[in-house]
Amino acid sequence: TCLKRGYAACITKPADPHLLYSAIQTATEATPRAHIRLNLSLKAVVGDGIDSAGEEAYTSTISEGGIFLQTYSPPPNHTKTPLRLFLSDREIRATAEVLYSSTLERRTFQQPGMGLKFIELHDDDRTFLQSYIREQLVRDILPGNGRVGRKPEG
C-alpha cells in the first residue's frame, strides 16, 4: 500500500473533501485544523439586540466550527455573544465565543476582526452549514454539475 511506501496518507477517488483536507492538514501543519475553512463573505449580525440592534458585519472565513468576522471593534477574548449568520435563504442562530481578535492598532497585516467559535449551534443548522461548505468546495469539480466531464460545445 502507499502507507508502506512512506506516503503520509492514501486517498481514493472520488476523494471525500474532509478526508483530503485532513490528510493535507496532517502532512503540512504542526497543529492541524479540525474543520475545512472556506473563504467566503456572508452577512452576520453579532449581539442580542437588547442594548442595540446588533452589529452587522461580514465573514471572511467560515467552517463548521466557527467564523472569522470582519469588524473594527471586536469584544474582548472569551466574550460569549449571540450570532446570526445568513447562508442562502437561511438564517442560522448560534452562540459564539471570541477566541482571538486583531485590530488596526496592532500594526499587523491581518484584517481587523475576530475569530469566533460556535459554542451553541442547533444540529439542523450544523448539518446545513456542513452541506453548504461541502457544496461550495466541490461545485466546480464534481461530475454532473456542468463543468467537469463535459465535452466542449461547438
Side-chain angles (χ1 to χ4, degrees):
T1 70
C2 58
L3 293 177
K4 289 181 182 176
R5 293 181 179 163
Y7 294 109
C10 297
I11 305 292
T12 58
K13 294 189 325 186
D16 176 279
H18 293 284
L19 292 176
L20 181 58
Y21 182 82
S22 177
I24 292 169
Q25 281 286 300
T26 300
T28 61
E29 300 291 334
T31 307
R33 295 187 178 275
H35 305 293
I36 293 175
R37 295 181 346 157
L38 182 65
N39 294 332
L40 189 62
S41 179
L42 297 171
K43 180 180 169 184
V45 175
V46 180
D48 55 17
I50 293 172
D51 298 329
S52 66
E55 178 188 353
E56 186 175 304
Y58 287 86
T59 66
S60 62
T61 306
I62 66 169
S63 79
E64 76 175 82
I67 62 174
F68 185 86
L69 198 63
Q70 300 171 9
T71 180
Y72 290 106
S73 54
N77 290 356
H78 309 295
T79 300
K80 293 176 178 63
T81 183
L83 174 71
R84 292 183 291 149
L85 183 62
F86 301 91
L87 284 97
S88 300
D89 293 332
R90 185 170 178 149
E91 179 180 327
I92 292 178
R93 291 180 176 262
T95 301
E97 178 180 359
V98 178
L99 295 181
Y100 64 92
S101 63
S102 57
T103 61
L104 289 177
E105 288 79 37
R106 285 184 150 175
R107 309 255 185 250
T108 65
F109 293 105
Q110 295 178 329
Q111 59 180 280
M114 59 185 162
L116 295 164
K117 176 182 178 180
F118 299 132
I119 54 175
E120 291 178 17
L121 181 63
H122 193 274
D123 288 341
D124 289 346
D125 288 334
R126 184 175 306 277
T127 299
F128 181 83
L129 183 58
Q130 289 168 336
S131 296
Y132 183 87
I133 291 170
R134 185 180 191 285
E135 287 171 12
Q136 297 301 307
L137 288 171
V138 301
R139 68 180 175 188
D140 292 338
I141 59 173
L142 285 182
N145 66 1
R147 296 205 179 224
V148 175
R150 285 184 58 184
K151 294 181 183 176
E153 294 180 21

